[in-house]
């Protein structure tokens, strides 16, 4: 073995254990009781450190190429590494061109090649008129397809209507590809008051829970009708949890994610003009947040991913009707979730399930998200009891805008390892292809 890591505390098989982990050729080759292995190189973690599997974030907007001033592969993946994330899956929109056919996928891969600090996979996009491209994109290695049910925020990635969504789900049923859906209903939002001004209450009224609920009900019905796999992105409305649970009991192939900002913040605390908190769907009230936490505890919500959607500072205008919607949080998702989770009686093993094992499982990354023999030797060394105050000046994101600035969080990432090597600044990531 090339490397052995001795960890008094590690998350293995869904629980905390004392183990020694052996690594060779970039893979985990042994997991034995503490101090039960030796190698030419030995790393012993400090008593206050816990060995976690590298986190997997399947919802990241890198925006490269085309809008790299918003983020970019180099900065996004450096921020991921700083946050204990060893694998991301990049969203198909906000880049130019969007990833809606094989040539655009190749453009994106070429842009990323040699510049990524962690492993990177890609989603494809489903837009009106590209149904004939979906199978070729899937065969080229994308992990599934993203669609919107209302305007995406960028004109080059238009939404699918109900008939188009059903047609695409039928196309994806045979290869068993997953459709991931931004589920808000356009008509409900069109009929709500338009957002404007510095007060968050106006923005919240413009994106009511009903917009999510109606759209999620539509996705459930179409997934039921077609037998295809569907995944609800960034769940914000806790009202939808009962119908999601019932759909699963009925055998609908449906999974759901939420995000650190929905689990951390509440509408009541967002100050006038604080558009760094603006995202779609929106951060909702405190009682809604608690019901989302209950949905996680009950297993109705499968995983927690960032929906890292950054922009340049000037796009975060103080008017909630004009500001770009998106929360930049890639680097600090783990401490943000852990801070809230531990106060509600959850353990680190729960956080690992939500932020590593389950996201990897959902997209078919068999060697990621778990500390088991045969997996990639991807690790996050985490000090769960150390606290810090978020300072945007210390974040690796390209633009220093964050809703978490000034917030005290628990948990510090001490180091991140990719395939048995500690990440220290040089790009070491690989571009992932589904099924490999």
């Amino acid at each position: 073995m090339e490397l052995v890591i001795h960890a008094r505390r590690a998350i293995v098989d869904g629980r905390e254990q004392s183990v020694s982990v052996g690594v060779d050729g970039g893979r985990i080759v042994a997991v034995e009781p503490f101090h039960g292995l030796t190698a030419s190189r030995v790393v012993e973690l400090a008593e206050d450190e816990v060995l976690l599997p590298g986190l997997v974030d399947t919802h990241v907007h890198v925006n490269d190429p085309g809008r790299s001033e918003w983020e970019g592969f180099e900065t996004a993946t450096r921020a991921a590494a700083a946050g204990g994330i060893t694998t991301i899956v990049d969203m198909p929109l906000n880049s130019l061109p969007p990833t809606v056919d094989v040539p655009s996928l190749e453009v994106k891969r070429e842009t990323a090649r040699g510049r990524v600090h962690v492993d990177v996979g890609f989603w494809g996009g489903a837009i009106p008129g590209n149904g004939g491209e979906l199978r070729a994109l899937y065969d080229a290695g994308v992990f599934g397809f993203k669609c919107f049910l209302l305007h995406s925020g960028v004109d080059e990635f238009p939404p699918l209507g109900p008939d188009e969504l059903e047609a695409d789900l039928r196309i994806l049923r045979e290869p068993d590809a997953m459709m991931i859906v931004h589920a808000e209903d356009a008509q409900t939002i069109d009929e709500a008051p338009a957002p404007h001004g510095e007060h968050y209450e106006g923005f919240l009224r413009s994106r009511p829970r009903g917009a999510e609920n109606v759209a999620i009900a539509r996705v459930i019905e179409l997934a039921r009708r077609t037998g295809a796999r569907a995944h609800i992105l960034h769940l914000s409305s806790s009202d939808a949890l009962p119908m999601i649970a019932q759909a699963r009991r009925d055998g609908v192939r449906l999974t759901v994610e939420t995000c650190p900002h929905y689990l951390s913040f509440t509408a009541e605390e967002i100050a006038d003009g604080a558009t760094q908190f603006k995202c779609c769907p929106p951060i909702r009230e405190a009682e809604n947040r608690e019901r989302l936490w209950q949905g996680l505890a009950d297993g109705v919500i499968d995983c927690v991913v960032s929906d890292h959607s950054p922009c340049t500072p000037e796009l975060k205008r103080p008017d909630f009707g004009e500001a770009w919607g998106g929360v930049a949080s890639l680097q600090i998702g783990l401490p943000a979730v852990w801070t809230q989770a531990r106060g509600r009686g959850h353990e680190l093993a729960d956080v690992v399930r939500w932020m590593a094992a389950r996201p990897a499982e959902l997209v078919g990354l068999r060697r990621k998200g778990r500390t088991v023999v045969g997996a990639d030797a991807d690790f996050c060394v985490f000090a769960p009891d150390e606290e810090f105050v978020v300072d945007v000046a210390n974040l690796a994101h390209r633009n220093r805008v964050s809703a978490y600035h000034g917030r005290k969080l628990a948990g510090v990432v001490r180091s991140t390892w990719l395939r048995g090597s500690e990440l220290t600044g040089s790009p070491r990531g690989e571009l992932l292809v589904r099924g490999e």
Side-chain angles (χ1 to χ4, degrees):
M1 288 180 288
E2 300 168 354
L3 169 70
V4 164
I5 299 176
H6 297 309
R8 293 170 181 82
R9 300 176 64 190
I11 304 301
V12 179
D13 291 334
R15 60 190 178 92
E16 188 172 306
Q17 304 179 48
S18 296
V19 298
S20 293
V21 180
V23 175
D24 197 70
R27 300 276 184 89
I28 297 172
V29 296
V31 181
E32 297 291 341
F34 185 59
H35 280 169
L37 297 170
T38 60
S40 56
R41 184 185 179 201
V42 174
V43 173
E44 183 148 349
L45 301 193
E47 291 187 3
D48 67 336
E49 295 176 339
V50 185
L51 186 68
L52 311 182
L55 304 188
V56 177
D57 192 336
T58 55
H59 194 149
V60 179
H61 294 270
V62 178
N63 309 325
D64 200 5
R67 291 189 176 96
S68 57
E69 69 275 13
W70 292 13
E71 190 58 275
F73 282 106
E74 186 174 0
T75 52
T77 57
R78 187 185 294 120
I85 299 164
T86 52
T87 304
I88 67 171
V89 186
D90 173 54
M91 284 291 163
L93 73 156
N94 298 347
S95 57
L96 295 169
T99 314
V100 294
D101 53 30
V102 172
S104 61
L105 174 64
E106 290 307 316
V107 168
K108 183 161 281 194
R109 283 178 171 159
E110 189 57 36
T111 302
R113 190 166 286 116
R115 299 174 56 213
V116 295
H117 295 263
V118 301
D119 288 353
V120 177
F122 302 96
W123 293 106
I127 63 173
N130 85 323
E133 306 286 346
L134 300 184
R135 185 58 189 260
L137 261 174
Y138 196 61
D139 291 344
V142 301
F143 284 82
F145 298 89
K146 179 176 186 176
C147 72
F148 279 75
L149 304 186
L150 78 172
H151 194 280
S152 69
V154 291
D155 291 339
E156 66 274 5
F157 202 94
L160 294 179
D163 292 344
E164 295 163 318
L165 176 58
E166 180 173 357
D168 283 355
L169 286 171
R170 293 190 183 283
I171 291 170
L172 299 181
R173 174 64 182 91
E174 189 275 325
D176 202 29
M178 185 162 62
M179 179 72 87
I180 64 176
V181 185
H182 182 124
E184 289 183 283
D185 179 64
Q187 182 177 350
T188 303
I189 290 174
D190 287 344
E191 294 175 355
H196 65 276
E198 297 186 352
H199 300 307
Y200 186 74
E201 310 92 82
F203 173 64
L204 189 59
R205 285 194 298 269
S206 76
R207 315 287 291 217
R209 297 189 200 189
E212 281 189 86
N213 303 337
V214 168
I216 290 169
R218 182 180 305 132
V219 172
I220 288 172
E221 180 54 33
L222 291 178
R224 187 194 313 272
R225 190 181 304 169
T226 61
R229 296 171 63 200
H231 178 82
I232 302 299
L233 296 168
H234 44 52
L235 180 69
S236 162
S237 172
S238 62
D239 293 350
L241 291 169
M243 68 171 145
I244 291 167
Q246 184 60 54
R248 287 177 165 172
R249 288 192 292 269
D250 292 345
V252 178
R253 303 172 71 203
L254 184 73
T255 51
V256 183
E257 68 184 45
T258 194
C259 305
H261 40 279
Y262 301 128
L263 300 171
S264 296
F265 303 119
T266 65
E268 293 90 340
E269 67 184 322
I270 298 176
D272 289 352
T275 56
Q276 64 270 30
F277 291 90
K278 179 182 176 180
C279 55
C280 299
I283 294 163
R284 302 194 187 277
E285 301 84 355
E287 57 84 14
N288 183 84
R289 178 184 65 176
E290 297 314 306
R291 290 171 62 194
L292 290 177
W293 273 106
Q294 190 60 51
L296 265 178
D298 294 342
V300 180
I301 299 173
D302 294 88
C303 60
V304 181
V305 292
S306 69
D307 189 12
H308 178 68
S309 186
C311 65
T312 56
E314 60 269 19
L315 292 178
K316 281 292 189 182
R317 302 180 183 94
D319 186 311
F320 278 97
E322 298 178 357
W324 174 260
V327 173
S329 63
L330 187 59
Q331 184 171 333
I332 48 182
L334 173 57
V337 172
W338 171 237
T339 299
Q340 297 292 325
R342 70 173 187 170
R344 292 170 173 81
H346 294 291
E347 300 178 350
L348 272 175
D350 298 318
V351 176
V352 166
R353 183 175 69 255
W354 300 328
M355 302 187 76
R358 190 63 174 135
E361 180 184 13
L362 286 176
V363 299
L365 288 166
R366 297 184 297 274
R367 298 200 304 269
K368 302 293 187 182
R370 298 184 301 152
T371 302
V372 296
V373 173
D376 287 348
D378 299 350
F379 307 113
C380 166
V381 177
F382 189 57
D385 298 323
E386 184 177 347
E387 297 182 335
F388 71 105
V389 175
V390 178
D391 185 342
V392 291
N394 297 326
L395 299 180
H397 308 152
R398 173 153 293 167
N399 294 292
R400 307 298 169 84
V401 178
S402 174
Y404 293 90
H405 178 66
R407 196 172 183 92
K408 187 176 182 180
L409 299 178
V412 171
V413 175
R414 296 268 178 86
S415 63
T416 303
W417 299 65
L418 184 66
R419 286 184 296 279
S421 295
E422 185 176 357
L423 297 177
T424 57
S426 300
R428 303 181 61 89
E430 296 180 357
L431 304 184
L432 303 177
V433 174
R434 177 193 51 79
E436 289 186 353

